[in-house]
Amino acid sequence: MKNRLLILTICLIATIKMMAQEFTLHGKVVDENNQPLEFAIVSVASQGKTAVTSLKGDYSLKLHSADSVVVKFSYIGFKTKTKVLRRPRGKQTLQVVLREASTTLDEVNIKGEKIQSDQIQELKTKDMKMTPSANGNGVESLVQQQAGVSTHNELSSQYNVRGGAFDENSVYINNVEVFRPFLVRSGQQEGLSVINPYMVDKIGFSTGGYAAKYGDKMSSALDITYKTLKAKSKKPVVEGSLAASLLGADAYIGLGTQKLSWLNSVRYKTTSYLLGSMETKGEYKPNYLDYQTYLSYQPNKRWKLDFIGYISDNHYNFEPEDRETKFGTMENVKSFRVYFDGQEKDRFLTYFGTLGITRQFTANTSLSLLGSAFYTKEQEKYDIQGQYWLDETETSENLGVGTYFEHARNYLTARVMSAKLMLKHKVKKHQMEAAVSLKREHIEENSVEYEMRDSAGYSIPHNGKDLYMVYSLKARNELNANRMEAYIQDTYRFSGGTADSTGNGQTHYTLNYGIRMSHWNFNRETIVSPRLSLAIIPANHENTTLRFAAGLYYQAPFFKELRDTSTVNGITIASLNKKIKSQRSIHFIAGYDYRFKIGDQRYKFSAEAYYKALSNLVPYSVSNVKVVYYGQNECSGHAAGLDFKLYGEFVPGTDSWLSLSLMDTKMKLGGKSIPLPTDQRYAVNLFFTDYFPGSKKWRMSLKLAFADGLPFAAPHRELETNSFRATAYRRADIGMSYQLLDNSRREKKTFLKNVMLGVDCLNLFGIDNVNSYYWVTDVTSQQYAVPNYLTGRQLNARILLEF
């Protein structure tokens, strides 16, 4: 009994002694801004104990006491910190501040041109300011002047890239794809672009061979990044501008603190003055209004919240009165006169919003959740009757008298909602990116259109017994579909060869490779798109870059491509084709860039050769800016060409360029090889800026465009009859601006930073460019193509105030 009591006493004393040697360590791990660091590691290597901090940065460890206990605190991207505890007992509290591992350097200003190492070229935002433009969309106007890009309508912000349709161009704002209204059929109806030029920080544009991060479109990618304002001290930063011209007015204001950036802009546009120069006289009442806001909040270096809100209300009202057009050759001039009754009333209401949350785990790793919503409500209504006379001018012979009546009641509502999870990670020479997104699409359409023609008392067409409309369409469709998309890509930068003492002798490579996948439950199609590009800067030729790209690109069908038509008793019915497949294009691109100087001026010459193998194409026709698809995968084809561009400072301190594009496109339809509707065999664009001698206050900007006409045929006919080609598009716009005040360095006591006055002459030479054709048919079914001309020569005055 005594032995048992002795043993129990010894064990109790040992236990009490061991408990006395244990202690609890708890506390918090924060950064320099006193923000908690979650998932930081707290470890005591000598005891094999480890803890991970909570979302609030808290931790707790039970440890054995000793003469000294070494505790290590570590977090990826931050400097590791070590603490030594001397004879710890009981409860110990320790709060640790970790500092970032990266070293912040003082601000350095570097002048130079960015070397293009992929298929995205960076366009300068300054090139879109105070330049003459009829459509007022600064970003799109800049894109339209690039090599490989074509447009034939100064009223439109739409553009074609290397033989592709308008719908084959993807547009992104802050990593979110944006959409445009569906029913727009003419440049006059187009309002303000969703891209707000006052908010733009960076513009990236690719004419082909772009990376897997850009969506399923076959022709181009436009990547817009909005700017953020950040104050360097506690005093907020404020900037803004007011602009006005005969074509509209804009107001912009931005506020920036150390954590918050808030940009706001209101724009108003009216083209009444511009449309007054067209041959169809009448009362034009277009007015376009929008508001856009961009809010970016960054409470600390690890979290960031972005919000974009956009609303636009575009109205196009038109009451035509009369029109007279002269056309033909010098020896055979014809006159077409029309008197109108009726009107057109269109409205396009659009809402768009994005919300993004970004978690910056380290300086090299981030995770973003992006949500977006797009809503459009569109209506196109017109009842227009025209009574026309077609005369031979030389002989005064009447070739035809008739009446036509056009009617439309087109309504469309669309909603597209999406959620995207995106991961970015940098490690050594790799820059990786991956994302998965889900989209919900809902579109409702209710359209009725018809056109009646009466020539010399006969309704056309007629068979002597029955009367038919020359064109009649009915469509009542609803689309509900889900789309899943995912991609992963990597940009790997490395060097080869042995460098000498000056660092030369190595060849530098930039390899981008990735794959994209998409599934659409409407047609149950899954597409996989691998993409690859390589840029090489050869050893000892640092001014030369060789670029190569290849990839498989799909045009995932959307609402327009789905509309399949069938004609019964003269009435065309449009329905949705569930069996349609994605159009496909295989890109092969080889590019060459050479950078050089003449004196102190920098220049860059670029050349690209491309070939696109096209298959599963859905044929389409183009009228003005309206693209009408056949709704069936009926043909294959190709697009091949050469693009050249010379860019640089032809005049010190200014940017100018000259581009030349050569292209050939063909598609096989119905056993016949025909050019694509956007086949533009050549195009030349010049943008030139200059200052007056002896003064930089006066600046001149000149835009020249000379492009081949597009193929066309009579309306409502098959594409195989595209046996005509429109006349070449030729246009010159010139603008003069005067800097009334330059206070960019804040040397004068005024809140204004810059005041600019400008005057433009649009269509300097008054060239009658053809936009489309109106076809007049007599009772013998002989047709005459009457050209519809674009805007004439116009003057525009502008003023810009910046503060």
Side-chain angles (χ1 to χ4, degrees), residues 83-102:
K83 292 287 185 179
V84 179
L85 305 179
R86 301 294 181 183
R87 298 185 181 89
R89 296 287 188 276
K91 288 187 177 181
Q92 300 285 324
T93 302
L94 185 61
Q95 179 166 315
V96 176
V97 179
L98 297 184
R99 301 182 184 277
E100 286 192 6
S102 59

Side-chain angles (χ1 to χ4, degrees), residues 220-236:
S220 74
L222 178 60
D223 192 353
I224 303 296
T225 303
Y226 277 177
K227 63 184 176 183
T228 56
L229 300 179
K230 191 170 185 179
K232 296 181 180 179
S233 62
K234 292 184 179 180
K235 184 179 179 180

Side-chain angles (χ1 to χ4, degrees), residues 629-699:
Y629 290 88
Y630 278 37
Q632 297 281 350
N633 303 101
E634 296 185 35
C635 55
S636 60
H638 76 269
L642 297 169
D643 291 333
F644 305 95
K645 182 178 179 181
L646 178 62
Y647 178 94
E649 296 180 338
F650 294 92
V651 177
T654 66
D655 294 325
S656 303
W657 62 83
L658 173 67
S659 67
L660 168 65
S661 299
L662 304 173
M663 182 177 67
D664 173 74
T665 68
K666 288 289 188 299
M667 66 177 178
K668 292 182 179 179
L669 177 62
K672 185 177 180 180
S673 180
I674 59 174
L676 288 169
T678 53
D679 178 55
Q680 182 180 267
R681 296 171 297 187
Y682 61 86
V684 180
N685 284 285
L686 171 69
F687 178 75
F688 181 75
T689 55
D690 194 3
Y691 292 108
F692 272 36
S695 174
K696 288 194 174 183
K697 290 183 176 294
W698 285 96
R699 174 175 170 173

Side-chain angles (χ1 to χ4, degrees), residues 5-31:
L5 183 61
L6 179 63
I7 294 172
L8 181 61
T9 302
I10 293 174
C11 290
L12 181 61
I13 295 173
T15 301
I16 294 173
K17 187 175 181 181
M18 289 180 65
M19 291 179 64
Q21 290 177 343
E22 284 187 351
F23 71 98
T24 300
L25 176 65
H26 65 91
K28 194 171 188 178
V29 181
V30 298
D31 63 7

